[in-house]
């Protein structure tokens, strides 16, 4: 009987589409304190040994004694100076910098042991997202280190969901990396630790963000869900009363997550993919003179979003309620 890959926690050998686009060239290194001299998507042992990040790793998390002292500013500096991408283009991370951090076990030895769901900075969370994405790109077990602190991992996923609600400007590369992380998470539903939290954003409670008429229509078409829907509403009202707050399910983080992603995608598709012409007017997408006016970073984001949406509609644990929620997506599209 042929073996089916992807059915266990540590099976990552099946090919994944969610990978970083490789730039044509990498800048050559001019000295030991520069980026590696290798080109393409590989680095040599000599490149790693000479790199400044290797020395930083040895000093701050290369030993248990060094890793015990956590420096918040160091995490921000590494993210800002080494692994954040600015500007337009299909490059979302400096691949070799992330590879060196992965070799040094930046996530396992420094980021995760010192992660606090209440106090972690934006740079800390985004660094963890990038390191998890890199593990998936290399087809290695990405969630292994999280299993020792299950409660903290749930806090991490909730902080990831909250990133879009924070009053902070997020670049297109960061939005794309965020989407890539969500793709990887929903492709890891075989891992119980991931599944328990991530499936909450695609549960029946997702329908709270639909219009009242749409909900009634869906419940009439699916009468077996009426009892479950009533139970969910009662539970939410009871929790809101206990907390002394008004009950507004449509504003709950897990309920509005997918809707917010869809609205963000439509906004980028409308206003970011096709750049404005030099005279301030908008060009038609079919205009041949539009050559060079397409924002590659926005196009990549839209590609990732479609990959994410296809995953939602193709997996048994996610497609039932997302499929019905798709009417919201189609209705918005028709009005644009």
């Amino acid at each position: 009987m042929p073996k089916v890959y992807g059915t266990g926690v540590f099976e990552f050998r099946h090919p994944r589409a969610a990978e970083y686009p490789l730039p044509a060239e990498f800048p050559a290194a001019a000295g030991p304190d520069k980026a590696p001299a290798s080109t393409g998507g590989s680095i040599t042992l000599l490149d790693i040994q000479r790199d400044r990040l290797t020395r930083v790793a040895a000093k701050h998390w290369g030993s248990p004694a060094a890793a015990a002292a956590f420096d918040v500013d160091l995490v921000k500096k590494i993210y800002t100076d080494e692994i954040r991408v600015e500007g337009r283009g299909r490059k979302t991370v400096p691949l070799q910098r992330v590879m060196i951090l992965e070799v040094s076990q930046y996530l396992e030895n420094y980021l995760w042991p010192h992660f606090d769901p209440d106090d972690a900075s934006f740079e800390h969370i985004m660094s963890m997202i990038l390191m998890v994405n890199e593990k998936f790109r290399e087809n290695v077990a990405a969630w292994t280190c999280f299993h020792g602190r299950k409660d903290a991992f749930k806090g991490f996923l909730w902080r990831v969901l909250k990133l879009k609600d924070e009053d902070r400007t997020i670049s297109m590369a960061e939005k794309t990396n965020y989407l890539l992380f969500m793709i990887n998470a929903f492709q890891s539903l075989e891992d119980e630790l991931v599944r328990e939290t991530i499936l909450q954003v695609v549960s029946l409670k997702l329908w709270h963000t639909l219009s009242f008429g749409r909900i009634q229509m869906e419940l009439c078409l699916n009468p077996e869900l009426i009892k479950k829907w009533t139970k969910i509403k009662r539970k939410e009202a009871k929790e809101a009363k206990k907390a002394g707050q008004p009950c507004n399910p449509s504003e709950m983080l897990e309920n509005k997550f997918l809707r917010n992603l869809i609205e963000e995608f439509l906004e980028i598709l409308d206003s970011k993919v096709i750049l404005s012409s030099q005279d301030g007017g908008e060009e038609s997408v079919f205009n041949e003179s539009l050559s060079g006016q397409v924002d590659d970073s926005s196009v990549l984001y839209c590609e990732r979003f479609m990959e994410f949406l296809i995953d939602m509609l193709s997996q048994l644990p996610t497609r039932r309620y997302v499929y019905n929620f798709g009417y919201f997506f189609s209705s918005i599209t028709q009005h644009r």
Side-chain angles (χ1 to χ4, degrees), residues 227-260:
K227 185 176 180 180
K228 186 176 181 180
W229 179 255
T230 304
K231 184 178 179 181
I232 288 175
K233 292 185 66 176
R234 288 176 178 173
K235 182 179 179 180
E236 291 173 343
K238 183 178 179 180
E239 292 177 350
K241 183 178 180 180
K242 185 178 179 180
Q245 298 177 351
C247 182
N248 190 3
S250 62
E251 292 300 319
M252 295 177 64
L253 177 63
E254 64 271 26
N255 297 346
K256 66 179 182 178
F257 172 75
L258 186 57
R259 176 178 180 142
N260 289 347

Side-chain angles (χ1 to χ4, degrees), residues 150-165:
K150 293 185 178 182
D151 292 338
F153 179 73
K154 293 179 182 179
F156 165 63
L157 286 183
W158 281 111
R159 283 299 307 272
V160 171
L161 296 180
K162 290 179 181 178
L163 282 184
K164 293 300 184 69
D165 287 345

Side-chain angles (χ1 to χ4, degrees), residues 165-290:
D165 287 345
E166 295 179 359
D167 186 17
R168 183 187 180 96
T169 302
I170 303 178
S171 68
M172 193 62 64
E174 290 171 333
K175 292 179 180 178
T176 305
N177 289 321
Y178 182 93
L179 258 185
L180 181 57
F181 176 85
M182 299 307 299
I183 291 171
N184 291 329
F186 276 102
Q187 288 182 354
S188 303
L189 296 180
E190 71 275 6
D191 191 313
E192 182 180 0
L193 185 63
V194 178
R195 184 173 64 249
E196 288 179 355
T197 303
I198 207 67
L199 282 183
Q200 294 185 40
V201 304
V202 290
S203 66
L204 182 58
K205 295 191 296 181
L206 178 71
W207 289 7
H208 276 301
T209 55
L210 297 175
S211 66
F212 179 78
R214 186 77 243 180
I215 295 175
Q216 298 305 311
M217 182 181 297
E218 293 298 334
L219 292 177
C220 290
L221 295 174
N222 302 274
E224 71 278 3
L225 295 178
I226 295 178
K227 185 176 180 180
K228 186 176 181 180
W229 179 255
T230 304
K231 184 178 179 181
I232 288 175
K233 292 185 66 176
R234 288 176 178 173
K235 182 179 179 180
E236 291 173 343
K238 183 178 179 180
E239 292 177 350
K241 183 178 180 180
K242 185 178 179 180
Q245 298 177 351
C247 182
N248 190 3
S250 62
E251 292 300 319
M252 295 177 64
L253 177 63
E254 64 271 26
N255 297 346
K256 66 179 182 178
F257 172 75
L258 186 57
R259 176 178 180 142
N260 289 347
L261 273 185
I262 292 176
E263 290 178 340
E264 180 183 71
F265 163 72
L266 292 175
E267 179 184 355
I268 292 174
L269 189 63
D270 283 347
S271 59
K272 302 292 185 181
V273 172
I274 305 302
L275 303 177
S276 300
S277 60
Q278 293 182 355
D279 59 359
E282 293 185 355
E283 295 278 0
S284 170
V285 69
F286 301 106
N287 193 339
E288 295 181 359
S289 66
L290 198 60

